[in-house]
Amino acid sequence: MPSETITFLGTGGARFMIINQFLASGGLWLNLSGTEILLDPGPGCIVQATKRKLKADKLSAIILSHRHLDHSADINIMAEAMTQGGFKRHGWLFAPADALETEPVIFSYLKDYLEGVEILQEGKSYSVGNVSFTTPVRHVHLVETYGMVFSTDKHTFSYIADTRYFDSLCQNYSGELLIINVVFLKPHSPAENPLLPIDHLSVPDAEHIIRELKPKVAILTHFGMSMWRAKPWQIAEKLSHQTGVRVLAARDGMRFDLSKLDNT
Ligand SMILES: [Zn+2]
């Protein structure tokens, strides 16, 4: 039986982590019963993917949650790889309008190699091969950003991409599995450091969201420096005790098999 897996090409997030690569970046590679989708190809995606023998020409789509560099830096090379250097017109790109308009993250000649581009919008549904997904709500982030709820014939899982906390996150991302980008250990206020982008979730935000959504499993990822120093696997263990939900911290290269959700 074909399996459903999610490979974490990297688990680092935000500027200082990414420019130092203490943790890798590169996004998530979904293989859902044979439909392969790349989510948020950040810097190093091509390196992490080829190292793990993941074949970009098997991808049916690349999805960008938003245009920030840690989510989109390798979009061009991955589009080139997905289309075998442009020799095979193939694959779709899904992205918010502001990733494609005034200063597009993808070169126009590469866009021509694709089967098509679809614009992500709040409250819409999309499909790729055997997979459908929705972008339920626009996030509160510096640029236009969406998370996704994916459904296959076997499983549902949600991805909460970068955002500041807001209440409707707790209503829009139910699923058996929750993947959540947690950049900060502690909440920050703009008064502390006006240069720090505060539009990210912290551990207390994640705790609240996990409690409300009650997935079977939650996976923390996209760690900034404060999270990395605090040892994400210890945070995850603490959150498991606090919430009663099995919480894991993603590791670079980790492959999560969705069939694990069936016996939870
Ligand atoms: Zn961002």
Side-chain angles (χ1 to χ4, degrees):
M1 205 166 80
S3 66
E4 301 196 319
T5 59
I6 298 171
T7 303
F8 292 80
L9 296 176
T11 58
R15 283 176 284 182
F16 296 104
M17 178 55 78
I18 299 302
I19 59 183
N20 290 292
Q21 290 283 303
F22 296 125
L23 293 168
S25 46
L28 304 175
W29 193 292
L30 316 179
N31 188 339
L32 304 169
S33 301
T35 299
E36 299 190 37
I37 298 171
L38 175 61
L39 193 49
D40 283 347
C45 182
I46 186 76
V47 176
Q48 302 300 332
T50 48
K51 194 162 97 178
R52 302 196 158 81
K53 313 246 178 313
L54 295 165
K55 301 263 185 275
D57 59 337
K58 298 252 176 69
L59 287 169
S60 300
I62 301 174
I63 305 174
L64 288 191
S65 65
H66 66 297
R67 61 175 294 127
H68 281 157
L69 208 51
D70 51 339
H71 297 257
S72 71
D74 270 14
I75 179 72
N76 286 298
I77 188 64
M78 294 315 293
E80 175 130 322
M82 179 166 74
T83 59
Q84 294 191 302
F87 284 101
K88 200 173 111 194
R89 195 185 174 89
H90 167 71
W92 289 80
L93 170 64
F94 296 84
D98 87 342
L100 302 165
E101 283 167 357
T102 30
E103 188 184 40
V105 295
I106 183 163
F107 295 131
S108 47
Y109 78 93
L110 287 170
K111 229 162 77 175
D112 294 341
Y113 297 165
L114 303 172
E115 279 171 83
V117 177
E118 279 208 57
I119 306 291
L120 297 178
Q121 285 176 300
E122 184 173 67
K124 292 274 170 73
S125 312
Y126 307 87
S127 68
V128 183
N130 311 319
V131 181
S132 61
F133 70 95
T134 61
T135 41
V137 62
R138 183 175 171 160
H139 285 192
V140 183
H141 201 49
L142 298 158
V143 297
E144 190 180 358
T145 305
Y146 300 99
M148 290 110 212
V149 180
F150 291 90
S151 312
T152 71
D153 50 7
K154 289 187 253 158
H155 296 107
T156 56
F157 64 93
S158 308
Y159 168 56
I160 299 185
D162 295 5
T163 186
R164 177 195 289 241
Y165 175 82
F166 59 105
D167 284 335
S168 74
L169 292 172
C170 299
Q171 281 102 54
N172 283 297
Y173 287 103
S174 13
E176 295 166 277
L177 168 69
L178 172 67
I179 298 167
I180 181 165
N181 286 359
V182 187
V183 168
F184 293 134
L185 184 62
K186 296 191 186 112
H188 290 275
S189 77
E192 280 171 63
N193 181 351
L195 291 175
L196 203 66
I198 57 159
D199 284 348
H200 284 291
L201 297 173
S202 64
V203 172
D205 297 327
E207 184 197 337
H208 178 70
I209 294 167
I210 292 167
R211 249 186 233 283
E212 294 289 314
L213 288 170
K214 296 184 190 66
K216 289 182 179 173
V217 175
I219 303 178
L220 316 177
T221 188
H222 209 57
F223 307 125
M225 296 297 287
S226 62
M227 280 297 282
W228 180 58
R229 289 198 195 101
K231 303 188 173 66
W233 57 96
Q234 289 183 3
I235 310 269
E237 205 182 305
K238 213 163 118 194
L239 285 177
S240 298
H241 290 303
Q242 287 167 340
T243 61
V245 170
R246 188 167 160 235
V247 182
L248 307 172
R251 303 255 190 179
D252 287 353
M254 179 174 104
R255 183 166 297 175
F256 183 84
D257 191 328
L258 294 181
S259 67
K260 280 188 199 149
L261 298 166
D262 301 334
N263 27 24
T264 308

